[in-house]
mmCIF file of all heavy atoms in Angstrom:
data_model
loop_
_atom_site.group_PDB
_atom_site.id
_atom_site.type_symbol
_atom_site.label_atom_id
_atom_site.label_comp_id
_atom_site.label_asym_id
_atom_site.label_seq_id
_atom_site.Cartn_x
_atom_site.Cartn_y
_atom_site.Cartn_z
ATOM 1 N N SER C 419 13.294 20.970 47.912
ATOM 2 C CA SER C 419 13.846 20.346 46.680
ATOM 3 C C SER C 419 13.474 18.884 46.559
ATOM 4 O O SER C 419 13.155 18.418 45.489
ATOM 5 C CB SER C 419 15.368 20.528 46.626
ATOM 6 O OG SER C 419 15.979 19.789 47.668
ATOM 7 N N ARG C 420 13.496 18.199 47.661
ATOM 8 C CA ARG C 420 13.139 16.797 47.639
ATOM 9 C C ARG C 420 11.595 16.627 47.380
ATOM 10 O O ARG C 420 11.185 15.685 46.713
ATOM 11 C CB ARG C 420 13.479 16.121 48.962
ATOM 12 C CG ARG C 420 15.011 15.996 49.131
ATOM 13 C CD ARG C 420 15.301 15.249 50.469
ATOM 14 N NE ARG C 420 16.747 15.035 50.588
ATOM 15 C CZ ARG C 420 17.296 14.478 51.672
ATOM 16 N NH1 ARG C 420 16.515 14.101 52.646
ATOM 17 N NH2 ARG C 420 18.619 14.354 51.736
ATOM 18 N N MET C 421 10.816 17.562 47.918
ATOM 19 C CA MET C 421 9.379 17.475 47.637
ATOM 20 C C MET C 421 9.105 17.679 46.151
ATOM 21 O O MET C 421 8.271 16.990 45.565
ATOM 22 C CB MET C 421 8.670 18.528 48.508
ATOM 23 C CG MET C 421 7.158 18.469 48.371
ATOM 24 S SD MET C 421 6.309 19.882 49.148
ATOM 25 C CE MET C 421 6.818 21.186 48.067
ATOM 26 N N MET C 422 9.825 18.566 45.520
ATOM 27 C CA MET C 422 9.646 18.831 44.121
ATOM 28 C C MET C 422 10.039 17.556 43.294
ATOM 29 O O MET C 422 9.337 17.174 42.403
ATOM 30 C CB MET C 422 10.495 20.007 43.629
ATOM 31 C CG MET C 422 9.955 21.329 44.140
ATOM 32 S SD MET C 422 10.872 22.766 43.476
ATOM 33 C CE MET C 422 10.600 22.535 41.732
ATOM 34 N N ASP C 423 11.115 16.960 43.686
ATOM 35 C CA ASP C 423 11.516 15.679 43.065
ATOM 36 C C ASP C 423 10.457 14.622 43.153
ATOM 37 O O ASP C 423 10.120 13.884 42.225
ATOM 38 C CB ASP C 423 12.821 15.184 43.623
ATOM 39 C CG ASP C 423 14.074 15.723 42.881
ATOM 40 O OD1 ASP C 423 13.831 16.391 41.889
ATOM 41 O OD2 ASP C 423 15.190 15.513 43.363
ATOM 42 N N THR C 424 9.900 14.530 44.376
ATOM 43 C CA THR C 424 8.888 13.515 44.665
ATOM 44 C C THR C 424 7.583 13.760 43.807
ATOM 45 O O THR C 424 7.063 12.794 43.208
ATOM 46 C CB THR C 424 8.517 13.496 46.129
ATOM 47 O OG1 THR C 424 9.669 13.242 46.907
ATOM 48 C CG2 THR C 424 7.455 12.425 46.443
ATOM 49 N N LEU C 425 7.183 14.972 43.799
ATOM 50 C CA LEU C 425 5.944 15.256 43.006
ATOM 51 C C LEU C 425 6.165 14.987 41.545
ATOM 52 O O LEU C 425 5.299 14.388 40.864
ATOM 53 C CB LEU C 425 5.529 16.740 43.255
ATOM 54 C CG LEU C 425 5.068 17.095 44.661
ATOM 55 C CD1 LEU C 425 4.743 18.593 44.742
ATOM 56 C CD2 LEU C 425 3.849 16.268 45.067
ATOM 57 N N LEU C 426 7.255 15.395 40.957
ATOM 58 C CA LEU C 426 7.524 15.205 39.547
ATOM 59 C C LEU C 426 7.718 13.723 39.255
ATOM 60 O O LEU C 426 7.246 13.249 38.192
ATOM 61 C CB LEU C 426 8.761 15.940 39.123
ATOM 62 C CG LEU C 426 8.979 16.136 37.620
ATOM 63 C CD1 LEU C 426 7.712 16.776 36.980
ATOM 64 C CD2 LEU C 426 10.210 16.977 37.296
ATOM 65 N N PHE C 427 8.348 12.954 40.140
ATOM 66 C CA PHE C 427 8.471 11.537 39.960
ATOM 67 C C PHE C 427 7.179 10.791 39.939
ATOM 68 O O PHE C 427 6.893 9.934 39.127
ATOM 69 C CB PHE C 427 9.402 10.973 41.035
ATOM 70 C CG PHE C 427 9.579 9.465 40.961
ATOM 71 C CD1 PHE C 427 10.421 8.944 39.975
ATOM 72 C CD2 PHE C 427 8.978 8.601 41.842
ATOM 73 C CE1 PHE C 427 10.637 7.584 39.911
ATOM 74 C CE2 PHE C 427 9.192 7.261 41.754
ATOM 75 C CZ PHE C 427 10.001 6.729 40.767
ATOM 76 N N ARG C 428 6.283 11.215 40.857
ATOM 77 C CA ARG C 428 4.936 10.667 40.881
ATOM 78 C C ARG C 428 4.114 11.009 39.619
ATOM 79 O O ARG C 428 3.310 10.211 39.133
ATOM 80 C CB ARG C 428 4.166 11.078 42.140
ATOM 81 C CG ARG C 428 4.707 10.516 43.415
ATOM 82 C CD ARG C 428 3.958 10.960 44.655
ATOM 83 N NE ARG C 428 4.460 10.329 45.849
ATOM 84 C CZ ARG C 428 3.985 10.581 47.043
ATOM 85 N NH1 ARG C 428 3.055 11.527 47.239
ATOM 86 N NH2 ARG C 428 4.430 9.949 48.145
ATOM 87 N N LEU C 429 4.318 12.216 39.122
ATOM 88 C CA LEU C 429 3.690 12.602 37.894
ATOM 89 C C LEU C 429 4.133 11.717 36.720
ATOM 90 O O LEU C 429 3.361 11.306 35.868
ATOM 91 C CB LEU C 429 3.998 14.075 37.559
ATOM 92 C CG LEU C 429 3.395 14.640 36.288
ATOM 93 C CD1 LEU C 429 1.860 14.603 36.363
ATOM 94 C CD2 LEU C 429 3.811 16.100 36.087
ATOM 95 N N TYR C 430 5.449 11.389 36.696
ATOM 96 C CA TYR C 430 5.956 10.451 35.676
ATOM 97 C C TYR C 430 5.231 9.074 35.781
ATOM 98 O O TYR C 430 4.832 8.504 34.799
ATOM 99 C CB TYR C 430 7.452 10.308 35.873
ATOM 100 C CG TYR C 430 8.286 11.179 34.969
ATOM 101 C CD1 TYR C 430 8.583 12.474 35.322
ATOM 102 C CD2 TYR C 430 8.838 10.698 33.779
ATOM 103 C CE1 TYR C 430 9.314 13.323 34.497
ATOM 104 C CE2 TYR C 430 9.606 11.519 32.975
ATOM 105 C CZ TYR C 430 9.795 12.828 33.309
ATOM 106 O OH TYR C 430 10.581 13.632 32.518
ATOM 107 N N LEU C 431 5.144 8.587 37.028
ATOM 108 C CA LEU C 431 4.540 7.263 37.233
ATOM 109 C C LEU C 431 3.069 7.281 36.775
ATOM 110 O O LEU C 431 2.613 6.335 36.142
ATOM 111 C CB LEU C 431 4.667 6.878 38.688
ATOM 112 C CG LEU C 431 6.075 6.616 39.240
ATOM 113 C CD1 LEU C 431 5.985 6.193 40.698
ATOM 114 C CD2 LEU C 431 6.811 5.505 38.391
ATOM 115 N N PHE C 432 2.374 8.310 37.127
ATOM 116 C CA PHE C 432 0.998 8.436 36.754
ATOM 117 C C PHE C 432 0.833 8.511 35.201
ATOM 118 O O PHE C 432 -0.058 7.859 34.644
ATOM 119 C CB PHE C 432 0.343 9.691 37.402
ATOM 120 C CG PHE C 432 -1.062 9.956 36.909
ATOM 121 C CD1 PHE C 432 -2.127 9.214 37.431
ATOM 122 C CD2 PHE C 432 -1.344 10.984 36.021
ATOM 123 C CE1 PHE C 432 -3.407 9.474 37.031
ATOM 124 C CE2 PHE C 432 -2.633 11.212 35.585
ATOM 125 C CZ PHE C 432 -3.651 10.452 36.099
ATOM 126 N N PHE C 433 1.678 9.257 34.565
ATOM 127 C CA PHE C 433 1.637 9.406 33.098
ATOM 128 C C PHE C 433 1.921 8.059 32.417
ATOM 129 O O PHE C 433 1.207 7.664 31.472
ATOM 130 C CB PHE C 433 2.635 10.456 32.632
ATOM 131 C CG PHE C 433 2.711 10.589 31.159
ATOM 132 C CD1 PHE C 433 1.722 11.177 30.412
ATOM 133 C CD2 PHE C 433 3.854 10.078 30.496
ATOM 134 C CE1 PHE C 433 1.827 11.247 29.004
ATOM 135 C CE2 PHE C 433 3.933 10.192 29.128
ATOM 136 C CZ PHE C 433 2.923 10.777 28.381
ATOM 137 N N MET C 434 2.916 7.334 32.906
ATOM 138 C CA MET C 434 3.267 6.060 32.253
ATOM 139 C C MET C 434 2.203 5.013 32.495
ATOM 140 O O MET C 434 1.862 4.269 31.553
ATOM 141 C CB MET C 434 4.616 5.556 32.815
ATOM 142 C CG MET C 434 5.808 6.394 32.320
ATOM 143 S SD MET C 434 7.442 5.621 32.750
ATOM 144 C CE MET C 434 7.352 5.804 34.562
ATOM 145 N N ALA C 435 1.592 5.003 33.688
ATOM 146 C CA ALA C 435 0.541 4.033 33.949
ATOM 147 C C ALA C 435 -0.701 4.340 33.102
ATOM 148 O O ALA C 435 -1.325 3.480 32.537
ATOM 149 C CB ALA C 435 0.159 4.090 35.406
ATOM 150 N N THR C 436 -1.040 5.665 32.960
ATOM 151 C CA THR C 436 -2.156 6.046 32.115
ATOM 152 C C THR C 436 -1.912 5.657 30.665
ATOM 153 O O THR C 436 -2.852 5.220 29.954
ATOM 154 C CB THR C 436 -2.407 7.553 32.246
ATOM 155 O OG1 THR C 436 -2.604 7.867 33.626
ATOM 156 C CG2 THR C 436 -3.656 7.952 31.465
ATOM 157 N N SER C 437 -0.697 5.852 30.191
ATOM 158 C CA SER C 437 -0.380 5.558 28.808
ATOM 159 C C SER C 437 -0.485 4.043 28.519
ATOM 160 O O SER C 437 -1.053 3.639 27.515
ATOM 161 C CB SER C 437 1.037 6.030 28.461
ATOM 162 O OG SER C 437 1.166 7.426 28.674
ATOM 163 N N ILE C 438 0.040 3.264 29.416
ATOM 164 C CA ILE C 438 -0.056 1.764 29.228
ATOM 165 C C ILE C 438 -1.508 1.310 29.231
ATOM 166 O O ILE C 438 -1.933 0.496 28.378
ATOM 167 C CB ILE C 438 0.738 1.080 30.344
ATOM 168 C CG1 ILE C 438 2.266 1.414 30.155
ATOM 169 C CG2 ILE C 438 0.515 -0.410 30.277
ATOM 170 C CD1 ILE C 438 3.141 0.837 31.284
ATOM 171 N N ILE C 439 -2.317 1.833 30.132
ATOM 172 C CA ILE C 439 -3.741 1.418 30.215
ATOM 173 C C ILE C 439 -4.499 1.848 28.920
ATOM 174 O O ILE C 439 -5.275 1.082 28.390
ATOM 175 C CB ILE C 439 -4.392 2.039 31.443
ATOM 176 C CG1 ILE C 439 -3.765 1.409 32.721
ATOM 177 C CG2 ILE C 439 -5.877 1.770 31.417
ATOM 178 C CD1 ILE C 439 -4.322 2.017 34.011
ATOM 179 N N THR C 440 -4.166 3.061 28.434
ATOM 180 C CA THR C 440 -4.818 3.568 27.230
ATOM 181 C C THR C 440 -4.481 2.715 26.016
ATOM 182 O O THR C 440 -5.347 2.336 25.186
ATOM 183 C CB THR C 440 -4.411 5.022 26.990
ATOM 184 O OG1 THR C 440 -4.761 5.796 28.120
ATOM 185 C CG2 THR C 440 -5.129 5.563 25.718
ATOM 186 N N VAL C 441 -3.204 2.342 25.886
ATOM 187 C CA VAL C 441 -2.773 1.460 24.788
ATOM 188 C C VAL C 441 -3.475 0.082 24.824
ATOM 189 O O VAL C 441 -3.979 -0.432 23.815
ATOM 190 C CB VAL C 441 -1.259 1.278 24.775
ATOM 191 C CG1 VAL C 441 -0.820 0.203 23.754
ATOM 192 C CG2 VAL C 441 -0.592 2.637 24.430
ATOM 193 N N ILE C 442 -3.560 -0.474 26.017
ATOM 194 C CA ILE C 442 -4.214 -1.777 26.178
ATOM 195 C C ILE C 442 -5.722 -1.722 25.832
ATOM 196 O O ILE C 442 -6.207 -2.582 25.103
ATOM 197 C CB ILE C 442 -3.999 -2.330 27.583
ATOM 198 C CG1 ILE C 442 -2.505 -2.629 27.877
ATOM 199 C CG2 ILE C 442 -4.844 -3.574 27.848
ATOM 200 C CD1 ILE C 442 -2.183 -3.016 29.313
ATOM 201 N N VAL C 443 -6.359 -0.668 26.267
ATOM 202 C CA VAL C 443 -7.782 -0.508 26.026
ATOM 203 C C VAL C 443 -8.046 -0.334 24.499
ATOM 204 O O VAL C 443 -8.952 -0.964 23.942
ATOM 205 C CB VAL C 443 -8.387 0.620 26.844
ATOM 206 C CG1 VAL C 443 -9.790 0.935 26.384
ATOM 207 C CG2 VAL C 443 -8.369 0.302 28.299
ATOM 208 N N LEU C 444 -7.242 0.560 23.872
ATOM 209 C CA LEU C 444 -7.433 0.829 22.461
ATOM 210 C C LEU C 444 -7.112 -0.429 21.589
ATOM 211 O O LEU C 444 -7.754 -0.635 20.543
ATOM 212 C CB LEU C 444 -6.568 2.019 22.028
ATOM 213 C CG LEU C 444 -7.013 3.371 22.549
ATOM 214 C CD1 LEU C 444 -6.017 4.467 22.062
ATOM 215 C CD2 LEU C 444 -8.411 3.714 22.101
ATOM 216 N N TRP C 445 -6.117 -1.210 22.027
ATOM 217 C CA TRP C 445 -5.743 -2.367 21.240
ATOM 218 C C TRP C 445 -6.789 -3.457 21.290
ATOM 219 O O TRP C 445 -7.026 -4.199 20.387
ATOM 220 C CB TRP C 445 -4.384 -2.882 21.753
ATOM 221 C CG TRP C 445 -3.667 -3.746 20.685
ATOM 222 C CD1 TRP C 445 -4.204 -4.435 19.670
ATOM 223 C CD2 TRP C 445 -2.308 -3.955 20.614
ATOM 224 N NE1 TRP C 445 -3.260 -5.058 18.978
ATOM 225 C CE2 TRP C 445 -2.033 -4.745 19.495
ATOM 226 C CE3 TRP C 445 -1.216 -3.460 21.364
ATOM 227 C CZ2 TRP C 445 -0.767 -5.175 19.086
ATOM 228 C CZ3 TRP C 445 0.086 -3.905 20.959
ATOM 229 C CH2 TRP C 445 0.263 -4.762 19.903
#
Side-chain angles (χ1 to χ4, degrees):
S419 65
R420 291 183 177 178
M421 184 187 71
M422 290 184 62
D423 271 354
T424 301
L425 293 178
L426 194 56
F427 179 74
R428 290 179 176 178
L429 181 61
Y430 264 83
L431 295 182
F432 175 76
F433 174 74
M434 289 188 294
T436 304
S437 302
I438 293 174
I439 294 175
T440 302
V441 170
I442 294 175
V443 171
L444 291 178
W445 202 334

